[in-house]
Amino acid sequence: MTSMCLIFLFYLFIYLFIYYCVLLRIVLPAVVAAVGINYGQITNNLPSPDDVVPLVRSIGASKVKLYDADPRVLRAFSNTGVEFIVRLGNEYLSKMRNPDKALAWMKVNVQAHLPNTNITCITVGNEILTFNDTSLNDNLLPAMQSVHTVLVNLGLDKHVSVTTAHSLAILETSYPPSAGAFRRDLIECITPILNFNVKTGSPFLINGYPLFAHKANPKQVPINFVLFQPNQGVVDPDTNLHYDNMLFAQIDAVYFALASLGFKKLPVQISETGWPSKGDEDETGAIIENSKKYNGNLIKLMSQKRGMPMRPNSDLNI
């Protein structure tokens, strides 16, 4: 993420997502089993956690991802059945290498809320590998391993998985999707993490924001292509697969990148996506109308049970 204004606005995603769903009277069909919302709180005038519960239920969302492990939110969603992803902030990575500190964090932030609150995943850090911070990179996998070991010792590893969320900037190439490949300078770091995902059965999480692709090249990446609006789409010249939206192209690029390293079967989930209602001066597409289109069209797309062009029979997990 390159804009602080956009980062701030993305934290409003839960509010905008719910607002537009209610405004458009969009209810997620029962067949859509893997759609969720990000719940950020770095702003003001947000509803209380207790008031968010009926809003989440009103649109049929079954998953919530927190940017922390806020006990107020976790308590509010007790006995609702909603699946929760909680996050260990980047500032905790070095501490989590210490088994005692990892255990202490786990007891307070996860174990204390189970089983009433359905915490199913812990993300250790966010977009670490694209900060170009050697210390963070070096601490990421040991922190993930330490947290997972604590889960095993507490007998919680079968219910709670451990992973980390990545930015699409970990890709060196993403177009066409079949050319998807990880940055060469990150392969040494990311391969052990992928092995960890496979060994522990945790998903590969990616934060996908088509807005950035449009902003970087609006002529080649037209607005309708990124907003799930009718358009002619593009055809991957190597696979002949047709893409009618940027998000699907981005997801398949990740799948191709994983396959190039021998991780063809590792599941990919979108841990963040959305569209801001306002942005910086050079982000002309960041307006309320486009935010409404992106979020609303994505929900409709989810209801169609479409897989990726590369994996048409696989569920789309967002």
Side-chain angles (χ1 to χ4, degrees):
M1 297 182 184
T2 58
S3 163
M4 289 304 295
C5 182
L6 275 175
I7 293 173
F8 170 79
L9 288 164
F10 283 139
Y11 282 129
L12 295 177
F13 181 58
I14 181 173
Y15 178 81
L16 291 171
F17 186 98
I18 293 173
Y19 172 78
Y20 288 123
C21 284
V22 173
L23 180 67
L24 297 172
R25 292 184 172 87
I26 295 172
V27 178
L28 302 179
V31 295
V32 182
V35 67
I37 55 176
N38 285 283
Y39 189 166
Q41 301 179 82
I42 305 180
T43 183
N44 54 23
N45 297 324
L46 285 178
S48 70
D50 287 332
D51 290 333
V52 168
V53 175
L55 290 174
V56 171
R57 283 177 160 171
S58 72
I59 61 169
S62 61
K63 297 185 177 184
V64 172
K65 191 187 81 170
L66 290 180
Y67 292 89
D68 49 30
D70 190 330
R72 299 173 305 148
V73 176
L74 295 174
R75 284 194 298 267
F77 278 85
S78 177
N79 299 312
T80 63
V82 174
E83 292 185 29
F84 264 83
I85 296 177
V86 297
R87 189 173 90 183
L88 257 166
N90 297 355
E91 67 274 16
Y92 287 100
L93 263 61
S94 60
K95 298 176 183 177
M96 290 303 106
R97 297 186 66 157
N98 183 316
D100 292 333
K101 292 181 178 180
L103 176 61
W105 185 92
M106 189 71 66
K107 285 184 173 181
V108 171
N109 295 285
V110 177
Q111 189 180 36
H113 300 283
L114 294 172
N116 293 340
T117 302
N118 191 19
I119 300 172
T120 60
C121 182
I122 301 167
T123 58
V124 178
N126 186 57
E127 301 186 349
I128 293 295
L129 298 184
T130 48
F131 278 108
N132 299 317
D133 185 314
T134 302
S135 176
L136 286 175
N137 287 0
D138 290 345
N139 284 321
L140 178 56
L141 181 58
M144 294 171 67
Q145 292 169 328
S146 179
V147 170
H148 181 260
T149 297
V150 169
L151 286 171
V152 172
N153 292 340
L154 293 174
L156 300 175
D157 59 302
K158 302 302 181 184
H159 184 72
V160 183
S161 62
V162 178
T163 187
T164 188
H166 303 279
S167 161
L168 274 170
I170 61 173
L171 297 183
E172 185 167 292
T173 55
S174 59
Y175 187 81
S178 60
F182 292 110
R183 280 171 40 185
R184 280 168 286 185
D185 62 312
L186 294 180
I187 290 178
E188 186 176 343
C189 291
I190 202 166
T191 300
I193 293 173
L194 298 176
N195 282 320
F196 173 89
N197 289 139
V198 171
K199 180 179 179 180
T200 63
S202 61
F204 185 81
L205 300 185
I206 197 80
N207 299 334
Y209 291 106
L211 169 66
F212 295 133
H214 170 69
K215 175 185 173 182
N217 200 337
K219 291 184 178 180
Q220 291 193 9
V221 185
I223 192 70
N224 285 343
F225 186 62
V226 293
L227 291 177
F228 310 104
Q229 294 285 95
N231 67 94
Q232 66 181 12
V234 297
V235 175
D236 188 310
D238 295 323
T239 62
N240 288 322
L241 293 174
H242 179 264
Y243 293 88
D244 60 12
N245 68 81
M246 175 55 74
L247 184 63
F248 280 18
Q250 291 175 332
I251 295 173
D252 271 5
V254 173
Y255 273 122
F256 276 104
L258 290 170
S260 71
L261 294 183
F263 296 92
K264 185 179 293 186
K265 296 183 179 181
L266 185 61
V268 174
Q269 294 183 13
I270 298 296
S271 50
E272 287 183 25
T273 191
W275 196 279
S277 59
K278 188 176 181 181
D280 293 336
E281 290 183 2
D282 62 340
E283 291 157 346
T284 57
I287 59 175
I288 290 178
E289 185 62 26
N290 286 344
S291 179
K292 176 180 174 181
K293 287 178 180 178
Y294 186 91
N295 295 327
N297 287 337
L298 177 58
I299 296 167
K300 293 176 182 177
L301 192 63
M302 292 289 295
S303 71
Q304 297 172 8
K305 293 288 286 182
R306 285 176 55 186
M308 300 300 97
M310 182 184 177
R311 297 189 175 192
N313 298 320
S314 297
D315 288 336
L316 175 61
N317 287 291
I318 294 180

